[in-house]
Amino acid sequence: MISIIKTIWTVILHMFGKRETVQYPDEKVKLRPRYRGRIILSRDPDGDERCVACYLCSAACPVDCISLQATEDEHGRRYPEFFRINFSRCIYCGLCEEACPTYAIQLTPDFEMSEPERPNLVYEKEDLLISGEGKYPGYHFYKVAGLKIKDKDKGEAENEDEPIDFKKLLP
Amino acid sequence: MINLDWSALTAIGILLGVFTLAPGLIWLERRLLALWQDRYGPNRVGPFGIFQVIADMIKIFFKEDWIPPFADKFVFFIAPGIIMLTVLMSFAVIPIAPGIGVMDINVGVLFFLAMSSLGAYSVVLGGWSSNNKYSLLGGLRAASQMISYEVFMGLSLLGVVAMAGSFNLREIVNAQAGMWNIVPQFFGFVVFTVAGLAEMHRLPFDIPEAESELVAGFHSEYSGMKFGMFFVGEYIGIVLISAVITTFFLGGWHGPFLPPLVWFFIKLFAFICFFILLRASLPRPRFDQLMSWGWKLMLPLAILNLVVTGAVLLAVRQGH
């Protein structure tokens, strides 16, 4: 009986407490830097696309909202011919970001993308690509990868030794 | 021009008042619950969110009115009407202010008790005709709860009746001009409040529709405006119980300085807010706990109250 009265009294006191509600459109929500929102595709410091169209994001996506098509330029560098994210299916789990070997796909703290027309939620590559480097400034996949591309031969990457000539007997 | 006399006008006024009060109560309840839960509640649509109710009503009117193919169609159809009918009929005997009230009958207390008992049919028939095990369980619980709480609801009122010496609600109110019944009939007041909550299966006694156990209890299969009628019936029930407590225990329209109508509504709203506060703070008891409190605690308390009241009244009258 006393506990019931105590409960009622505690509830009454909550009348004067601070409201938890954030009045969203009037008052913006404070989002943390690691908040997982709208997905973007970043570029490397040279301004080229980081994406190498390896399909790992598409494979990792639990709701299959990412679709892309790989292609190569004349120097053998892979890039996506198209890259499409259906944000009406995306659950913002961040698995694509974790799967990405080149830090190309990243989630940003932006969620304000509501849309009256459903097809408009399908973002194409030009909608996804940003001009900057996102969360990993200075990272350049081809500068650290052993792959031969334009202006860089094998063994010329950072922290990389010259390739061993396996036809020579000398150490 | 149709020649409407005063009583017909007040009857229509009370009916319309009750019908506007019930949806207003939905808004009030949402705002108050939010207030006690550190939220704001609906505050977007119109001033203080008051038009939220209109938006919700428009929505519920356009909902599909669906009768499940396995239901007993006729009973399913009339069940929500019964609760509306009985609750609104009960309002007929409530004396709101001197000269304002639908009818003035000499067995007003009995009429109110009869109508609130008939309300049990609504939930029982609704639960039965839905042909769904959750609905049936909800209906069964509603039946046993309402019938057992009915017993001492009546008994707790008998003390008031004995003090006033009349079953007429106006005379009961007038008998409280000197002192409100809440003082001499405090136990009767407590028992009646608990019984009233259980009678209107209002939280914390919403066991017939316990969401966490029975989906939505007796109205699991109801949708659209049929569900809305159960809902509005329940809200009018809250107004009714508050009005009845005001009448029986808080001296109805009596009070200093302010006009009688204002006093009645102040008391009414105080009780409505108190019931919402109970909803915000108390957890739902188990069903067997509810029944054992009813029969082992409330019923003896009500009988004791009646016996003591009778003894005191006899002693006082013999002393004269």
Side-chain angles (χ1 to χ4, degrees):
Chain A
M1 191 64 210
I2 289 167
S3 71
I4 288 176
I5 292 164
K6 261 187 181 169
T7 312
I8 295 173
W9 180 244
T10 312
V11 172
I12 289 177
L13 288 185
H14 270 269
M15 245 156 117
F16 310 107
K18 192 178 168 291
R19 307 289 99 177
E20 294 288 339
T21 314
V22 177
Q23 301 262 35
Y24 162 60
D26 309 332
E27 189 185 334
K28 291 296 175 198
V29 189
K30 186 178 186 325
L31 296 175
R32 304 288 162 182
R34 291 191 192 181
Y35 185 89
R36 298 196 305 264
R38 182 167 58 89
I39 297 171
I40 50 105
L41 285 173
S42 58
R43 290 175 188 272
D44 61 22
D46 296 346
D48 296 324
E49 291 170 42
R50 269 177 178 161
C51 181
V52 295
C54 63
Y55 294 103
L56 281 179
C57 50
S58 161
C61 184
V63 290
D64 289 346
C65 71
I66 303 176
S67 67
L68 68 154
Q69 173 63 55
T71 187
E72 281 182 5
D73 66 4
E74 63 271 26
H75 306 292
R77 176 173 168 153
R78 281 165 65 97
Y79 69 94
E81 191 179 350
F82 67 81
F83 197 105
R84 195 172 287 149
I85 297 182
N86 184 352
F87 279 108
S88 64
R89 298 183 77 171
C90 182
I91 58 171
Y92 306 97
C93 61
L95 289 182
C96 48
E97 185 177 15
E98 288 187 33
C100 186
T102 65
Y103 294 147
I105 193 163
Q106 294 177 6
L107 274 75
T108 56
D110 172 27
F111 60 92
E112 292 168 317
M113 45 203 296
S114 53
E115 186 66 59
E117 297 286 328
R118 215 160 241 271
N120 293 350
L121 280 166
V122 178
Y123 281 39
E124 294 293 340
K125 195 166 91 174
E126 50 269 29
D127 308 317
L128 296 165
L129 265 177
I130 60 165
S131 51
E133 299 160 51
K135 292 180 204 172
Y136 302 95
Y139 178 78
H140 195 310
F141 172 68
Y142 286 103
K143 287 265 168 66
V144 293
L147 202 69
K148 174 179 182 289
I149 49 152
K150 183 194 173 197
D151 303 335
K152 194 202 84 170
D153 204 355
K154 283 198 172 180
E156 288 177 9
E158 289 167 23
N159 305 322
E160 195 184 23
D161 295 333
E162 285 288 309
I164 293 169
D165 184 359
F166 51 84
K167 289 177 181 165
K168 267 165 65 177
L169 286 172
L170 288 172
Chain B
M1 280 290 286
I2 308 158
N3 189 18
L4 287 170
D5 59 351
W6 174 244
S7 62
L9 272 177
T10 51
I12 292 167
I14 288 168
L15 184 69
L16 290 179
V18 168
F19 268 126
T20 44
L21 213 57
L25 215 58
I26 298 172
W27 172 81
L28 183 77
E29 173 155 36
R30 291 178 66 182
R31 287 298 300 225
L32 281 178
L33 283 178
L35 187 69
W36 287 315
Q37 293 168 354
D38 294 345
R39 301 184 282 115
Y40 290 109
N43 62 352
R44 292 274 149 193
V45 195
F48 301 103
I50 190 107
F51 295 145
Q52 183 70 44
V53 174
I54 297 169
D56 286 347
M57 269 168 64
I58 292 170
K59 188 197 82 173
I60 206 162
F61 272 117
F62 284 99
K63 285 260 176 178
E64 187 184 0
D65 189 20
W66 190 68
I67 297 176
F70 44 80
D72 183 342
K73 298 211 169 38
F74 178 67
V75 182
F76 191 86
F77 189 77
I78 61 165
I82 295 173
I83 194 161
M84 289 283 279
L85 189 75
T86 55
V87 173
L88 285 175
M89 286 288 273
S90 303
F91 264 99
V93 292
I94 303 290
I96 291 170
I100 302 180
V102 180
M103 61 180 180
D104 184 15
I105 54 176
N106 55 5
V107 286
V109 178
L110 295 181
F111 185 83
F112 158 71
L113 289 173
M115 280 301 153
S116 63
S117 307
L118 278 177
Y121 277 104
S122 171
V123 283
V124 175
L125 291 179
W128 173 259
S129 62
S130 296
N131 211 353
N132 169 322
K133 59 186 168 204
Y134 295 114
S135 303
L136 183 59
L137 276 172
L140 280 175
R141 285 178 173 199
S144 50
Q145 174 181 331
M146 289 175 87
I147 288 168
S148 53
Y149 275 67
E150 195 71 44
V151 174
F152 55 85
M153 189 174 184
L155 281 176
S156 64
L157 285 184
L158 282 185
V160 175
V161 172
M163 301 237 336
S166 169
F167 276 105
N168 185 321
L169 269 72
R170 285 188 185 276
E171 285 178 26
I172 287 173
V173 172
N174 279 327
Q176 298 176 65
M179 179 163 55
W180 295 353
N181 268 337
I182 188 170
V183 183
Q185 287 289 317
F186 185 72
F187 287 104
F189 165 73
V190 171
V191 171
F192 185 79
T193 308
V194 174
L197 274 176
E199 184 67 20
M200 289 305 150
H201 39 89
R202 171 83 193 147
L203 279 104
F205 298 129
D206 67 332
I207 288 167
E209 45 186 299
E211 297 94 340
S212 46
E213 303 155 27
L214 294 180
V215 192
F218 62 88
H219 58 60
S220 296
E221 295 288 349
Y222 280 88
S223 64
M225 208 46 220
K226 288 203 192 69
F227 164 76
M229 277 169 88
F230 272 126
F231 207 67
V232 170
E234 189 184 317
Y235 276 97
I236 298 177
I238 302 167
V239 183
L240 175 68
I241 286 296
S242 306
V244 168
I245 291 176
T246 306
T247 309
F248 284 129
F249 295 101
L250 286 183
W253 62 75
H254 289 300
F257 310 122
L258 295 171
L261 202 61
V262 177
W263 267 112
F264 185 83
F265 277 103
I266 287 173
K267 292 168 184 173
L268 184 70
F269 273 101
F271 261 94
I272 290 171
C273 295
F274 176 66
F275 285 149
I276 296 170
L277 175 65
L278 287 185
R279 174 180 178 169
S281 49
L282 296 184
R284 183 189 302 129
R286 228 166 46 222
F287 187 61
D288 59 307
Q289 288 172 337
L290 180 88
M291 295 308 272
S292 71
W293 287 343
W295 290 109
K296 293 180 189 163
L297 181 70
M298 292 297 177
L299 182 65
L301 204 62
I303 291 174
L304 196 69
N305 179 54
L306 178 60
V307 169
V308 171
T309 309
V312 170
L313 282 178
L314 267 181
V316 168
R317 277 184 201 153
Q318 277 178 344
H320 279 294

